[in-house]
Amino acid sequence: MALSNKAKNYIRKHHSKKSTSQLADTLKQDKDEIQAFMNELKEPLPLKKKALFYSITLSIPILFFVVLELILQSVNYKGDTRLFLDPEIPTEEYYFPNPKFASRYFFYTKTTPSPSIDVFLQQKPENSYRIFAMGGSSAAGYPYGFNGTFSRVVDDILTDAMPDKEVEVVNVATSAISTYTLVDQVDEILEQQPDAIMIYTGHNEFYGALGVGSNETLGGFPGFVRFYLKLQRFKTFLLLREMIVNSGQWFAGVIGNEENINARGTLMERIIRDQSIELDGTMYKMAMVQFQSNMEAIIQKFEKHRVPVYLSTISSNIKDQPPFVSIESDHFPAADSIYYDAQSLFQKNDTITAKEQFEFAKDLDGLKFRAPTEINDIIHSLSNEFENVRLVPTHRKLEDASPAGIIGNNLMLEHLHPNQTGYFIMGKTFAESLINDLKQSNMVSNPDLHLDTYFQKMYLTDYDDLIVHHRIRALKQGFPFVTEGEITPYQKGYKPTDIVDSLAFEVVQKDKRWDAAKIEVAEYYQSQMNIEKALLEYYGLIRNQPWNDAPYIFSARLLLDHNKFSEAEPLLRKAYELKPDEAYTTKMLGAIELHKGNTKEAIRLLEESRQVNPNDPQMLYNLSGAYGTNQEFEKALEIAEEVIEVNPNFPGVNEWKQQLNRIINSNRN
């Protein structure tokens, strides 16, 4: 009798423990049939079956992770962290840097920094010249942001130097990032077809995200970290990372070994792990290797695509910023003693030696927020090693603008972030390097620019300066500027000096939108009849949002109210270019054309305005006048009657109607 499936399963389970006879007695089956089945069990699987078996076995976990990845993608786990997104302003033709992309690099620090908001076209125009700016907080223009960035100065200058080009300068720099982030940005930047790259980086190699002294570190092996950055593009990897991090934090809390990270502290305080890094020590050397390796990887990728890299030397405040941490060492003197020696030498007018000592004190500082001199040495060597690298001498230019060539509070707001003059010098220096190369390619059609005039065109106003004041004041009341004792935050009970100060305070401390507050500031100045200051606010909005027609209209309206037609016209023209169906814009352009005697163009524009807003009495009155000037009197009378129907008391309309009736009657006779 053939073996049943139940009998076969019993044999499979017990054949290694029982003999054939025992199995036959238990199952009441023929001994020979049981032996034959046991022989089959001992025969190896054919190669094809074995391959199929292992393939199925291996595919199960792979299939699981594929399905998991698809599910996580579908629910957009951890959000969209692509470098560029569509902001949908005012249409879907633009990209801008994703405010949340930096969450790729911060897995312990919950609040992450954001890049600038620089809009550029999704489809690169044929006549475009597109540049990307990369780096940390100084490249991002902290604490100004917006119009304070050096990249905006470059944009202003190149736009005028190449009027036949569509110049686009996009800043993807972000606070608290190291060169690992820059490496990770390269592929996505290359997808946007850059014509040039500007880089100002080096201060964050110790404490920036994934830096050797950061809470967000992964060790000192650049190749491994760059491999990790590739993996974290997968949602499944992010999920596993989140599970590991949360488990680690929970376990550390249970055993009482959780690192004390002040959740309310500044980003500078929350991201730091090692506050004492000795010059030429192990951590120091790891950071230098990290910087060189990452910069070479960045440059080589751009070189492969024949994209020139404008690499700048970097600067910090060496004269007026004492060392944060002074280390006692057998190899080097204490940083603070060298700094005080430098101050003494400076007071004695030995500025050459003083400068050397100020630099040495900065390098000895154990809290390495300011990049050591070796970073600039590496930058110089990279410019000599790679053909596609152009050295931008920002450090030398800032020294040239400083007394005795020693950079201090004259150009820096605190330890390393420039003031307006410092950022302007940065932008001007980059622009000069770019223009020198572009001239050789015959791409500069307006070479005789007076670059110093672009300082005023930054349109940084009293309102912007107050924002900087509040950001720096908040920064300096915490780590690393204050390390001992309790300080009552100045924000508590703060009484603004006026409405402008109040709005600036709200932007910094209450997350009020910078542009919304700027409009309120302009409206306040208008109410005070301070037209020049109001216009500066609107011009700052235009510079920051060149794609937005609203600030062009706001400023044009203000100028028209004061009969400054020639100044208002180019603003209206730009607004019309951006949004042709805006009734006010076409109405006022039509009125200007009528005033200039261009009757047919005036009629065209006023008719466009009429299509959008047919009951505007001012527009109808001007349109009637335009038809009358064009000797279309019947049409003019018809529209004049529409004005009276909408607003019987509109100034001058009844007299104009009577005049038209006389002309028409006269022509009939």
Side-chain angles (χ1 to χ4, degrees):
M1 187 174 72
L3 294 174
S4 66
N5 288 331
K6 184 177 180 181
K8 289 180 179 180
N9 288 333
Y10 184 86
I11 294 169
R12 287 191 187 97
K13 186 175 181 180
H14 298 283
H15 77 278
S16 61
K17 301 176 182 178
K18 294 184 178 183
S19 67
T20 306
S21 299
Q22 289 173 322
L23 290 170
D25 290 341
T26 302
L27 296 172
K28 308 300 182 187
Q29 294 284 346
D30 183 74
K31 181 179 176 182
D32 292 336
E33 287 188 8
I34 291 175
Q35 185 62 53
F37 181 70
M38 289 177 64
N39 292 338
E40 289 179 13
L41 292 177
K42 295 177 181 179
E43 290 180 5
L45 284 172
L47 183 60
K48 287 185 178 181
K49 287 187 176 181
K50 185 182 289 187
L52 179 61
F53 173 78
Y54 284 116
S55 296
I56 293 173
T57 303
L58 291 172
S59 67
I60 290 173
I62 294 173
L63 183 61
F64 169 79
F65 282 110
V66 169
V67 172
L68 179 60
E69 177 69 20
L70 291 173
I71 292 172
L72 293 173
Q73 291 280 358
S74 67
V75 299
N76 200 19
Y77 176 73
K78 284 296 183 181
D80 194 335
T81 59
R82 289 176 297 169
L83 181 55
F84 300 113
L85 296 179
D86 184 346
E88 300 180 2
I89 49 172
T91 62
E92 295 183 354
E93 59 185 310
Y94 294 103
Y95 279 138
F96 80 137
N98 181 359
K100 297 181 179 179
F101 96 95
S103 61
R104 298 178 188 177
Y105 317 105
F106 296 88
F107 37 93
Y108 290 113
T109 307
K110 299 303 180 184
T111 303
T112 56
S114 301
S116 299
I117 302 176
D118 284 337
V119 174
F120 64 102
L121 292 168
Q122 292 187 19
Q123 298 296 323
K124 184 181 178 183
E126 290 185 5
N127 68 331
S128 172
Y129 187 78
R130 180 174 287 177
I131 310 172
F132 287 88
M134 305 173 71
S137 56
S138 294
Y142 179 87
Y144 293 91
F146 304 107
N147 290 329
T149 60
F150 83 91
S151 56
R152 289 277 169 87
V153 177
V154 174
D155 196 343
D156 293 339
I157 294 172
L158 292 190
T159 296
D160 289 344
M162 300 188 293
D164 56 333
K165 294 286 185 182
E166 183 76 29
V167 175
E168 296 177 309
V169 181
V170 184
N171 195 323
V172 296
T174 307
S175 296
I177 61 170
S178 69
T179 48
Y180 282 120
T181 296
L182 274 62
V183 172
D184 199 40
Q185 291 175 332
V186 171
D187 288 339
E188 288 172 276
I189 290 174
L190 283 169
E191 290 175 2
Q192 304 305 324
Q193 302 173 286
D195 294 293
I197 302 295
M198 301 185 298
I199 299 179
Y200 185 94
T201 190
H203 286 303
N204 292 342
E205 288 314 289
F206 294 93
Y207 303 126
L210 305 177
V212 296
S214 168
N215 279 316
E216 307 286 350
T217 188
L218 289 171
F221 300 96
F224 168 76
V225 179
R226 293 198 290 267
F227 175 68
Y228 157 85
L229 290 174
K230 293 182 183 296
L231 289 178
Q232 54 89 43
R233 300 296 178 90
F234 295 100
K235 299 288 187 181
T236 306
F237 183 80
L238 293 179
L239 175 64
L240 294 173
R241 185 184 75 177
E242 186 79 359
M243 292 169 62
I244 293 169
V245 169
N246 290 340
S247 299
Q249 290 177 334
W250 175 84
F251 184 72
V254 169
I255 65 174
N257 193 33
E258 186 173 9
E259 290 189 19
N260 184 21
I261 300 174
N262 183 3
R264 295 185 178 181
T266 64
L267 183 60
M268 297 163 68
E269 182 175 2
R270 282 180 277 128
I271 202 171
I272 287 175
R273 186 190 64 190
D274 294 302
Q275 296 184 17
S276 294
I277 297 177
E278 187 176 355
L279 180 65
D280 286 342
T282 301
M283 295 283 286
Y284 175 92
K285 291 177 180 177
M286 287 168 61
M288 296 303 102
V289 170
Q290 167 187 299
F291 181 74
Q292 175 124 18
S293 175
N294 285 340
M295 289 306 301
E296 287 175 352
I298 292 165
I299 292 167
Q300 285 168 353
K301 279 195 173 185
F302 285 126
E303 184 178 49
K304 183 178 179 181
H305 290 80
R306 299 181 179 179
V307 179
V309 175
Y310 291 82
L311 179 59
S312 173
T313 50
I314 59 175
S315 297
S316 57
N317 185 346
I318 63 171
K319 177 178 174 292
D320 299 310
Q321 176 60 61
F324 291 112
V325 172
S326 192
I327 301 174
E328 296 292 336
S329 168
D330 294 335
H331 304 93
F332 295 106
D336 53 5
S337 66
I338 297 299
Y339 178 77
Y340 296 135
D341 288 345
Q343 285 184 314
S344 177
L345 290 165
F346 185 81
Q347 291 171 359
K348 295 175 182 177
N349 292 322
D350 186 357
T351 55
I352 295 176
T353 309
K355 181 179 178 180
E356 294 174 354
Q357 294 298 87
F358 278 128
E359 285 279 0
F360 189 30
K362 180 257 297 180
D363 289 350
L364 290 170
D365 190 349
L367 189 59
K368 302 226 174 294
F369 277 126
R370 296 174 294 174
T373 304
E374 189 173 344
I375 289 288
N376 274 341
D377 293 339
I378 293 172
I379 289 170
H380 277 278
S381 68
L382 291 168
S383 68
N384 293 325
E385 182 180 351
F386 293 95
E387 291 185 4
N388 68 319
V389 175
R390 318 286 191 267
L391 182 68
V392 180
T394 300
H395 181 61
R396 177 170 58 80
K397 292 289 187 176
L398 291 172
E399 286 185 329
D400 291 344
S402 301
I406 306 174
I407 300 170
N409 289 340
N410 62 307
L411 294 177
M412 297 288 167
L413 293 165
E414 12 76 348
H415 59 308
L416 57 80
H417 295 107
N419 57 21
Q420 181 180 356
T421 302
Y423 278 124
F424 173 73
I425 292 172
M426 282 176 62
K428 179 184 173 184
T429 306
F430 270 100
E432 287 172 337
S433 296
L434 281 155
I435 286 175
N436 286 337
D437 283 355
L438 293 168
K439 282 180 179 178
Q440 297 177 19
S441 303
N442 296 318
M443 294 177 64
V444 176
S445 55
N446 188 14
D448 300 322
L449 297 175
H450 298 288
L451 300 190
D452 288 337
T453 62
Y454 287 86
F455 180 83
Q456 298 299 331
K457 294 179 182 179
M458 294 176 77
Y459 296 125
L460 293 175
T461 63
D462 293 343
Y463 159 73
D464 294 303
D465 288 338
L466 283 166
I467 288 176
V468 169
H469 165 76
H470 286 295
R471 283 183 177 149
I472 295 299
R473 188 170 178 183
L475 179 73
K476 286 192 171 183
Q477 69 185 7
F479 179 87
F481 301 95
V482 177
T483 56
E484 296 180 359
E486 290 289 331
I487 290 183
T488 301
Y490 90 95
Q491 299 94 318
K492 289 188 176 180
Y494 179 77
K495 296 181 179 180
T497 57
D498 58 19
I499 191 170
V500 180
D501 185 32
S502 176
L503 288 166
F505 182 82
E506 287 186 44
V507 170
V508 175
Q509 301 298 341
K510 300 181 181 180
D511 295 326
K512 187 178 182 69
R513 283 175 56 110
W514 172 84
D515 50 357
K518 203 166 183 65
I519 292 173
E520 290 186 47
V521 171
E523 291 173 345
Y524 165 74
Y525 284 138
Q526 284 182 248
S527 71
Q528 300 297 305
M529 299 305 293
N530 195 334
I531 307 307
E532 293 303 318
K533 282 198 170 186
L535 283 171
L536 285 177
E537 300 298 341
Y538 289 137
Y539 292 159
L541 275 173
I542 289 171
R543 186 169 183 256
N544 182 63
Q545 300 176 358
W547 42 265
N548 185 1
D549 68 310
Y552 292 96
I553 294 175
F554 294 156
S555 51
R557 191 192 299 269
L558 185 57
L559 289 165
L560 290 170
D561 288 345
H562 291 79
N563 298 318
K564 296 185 177 183
F565 297 98
S566 60
E567 294 179 44
E569 183 178 358
L571 295 166
L572 289 169
R573 294 283 178 200
K574 185 63 180 179
Y576 180 67
E577 177 186 325
L578 292 169
K579 194 174 181 182
D581 58 350
E582 174 60 47
Y584 177 82
T585 305
T586 45
K587 176 180 72 172
M588 298 315 300
L589 281 173
I592 289 172
E593 291 295 344
L594 184 61
H595 180 74
K596 290 161 62 175
N598 301 326
T599 309
K600 290 185 178 180
E601 179 65 8
I603 291 173
R604 183 186 71 81
L605 289 163
L606 290 165
E607 285 288 7
E608 287 185 12
S609 182
R610 188 184 190 186
Q611 291 295 317
V612 181
N613 186 9
N615 296 320
D616 183 341
Q618 183 184 30
M619 173 275 298
L620 291 170
Y621 183 72
N622 287 335
L623 183 58
S624 177
Y627 277 119
T629 303
N630 205 43
Q631 299 188 4
E632 297 179 62
F633 302 116
E634 296 284 353
K635 186 83 170 176
L637 179 60
E638 178 186 330
I639 297 173
E641 289 173 345
E642 288 184 39
V643 177
I644 294 171
E645 185 178 344
V646 173
N647 185 355
N649 299 316
F650 190 84
V653 68
N654 289 298
E655 293 82 356
W656 171 240
K657 179 184 175 181
Q658 293 173 8
Q659 184 180 349
L660 287 170
N661 279 322
R662 286 194 298 269
I663 294 171
I664 292 170
N665 290 332
S666 175
N667 289 341
R668 286 173 181 171
N669 296 329

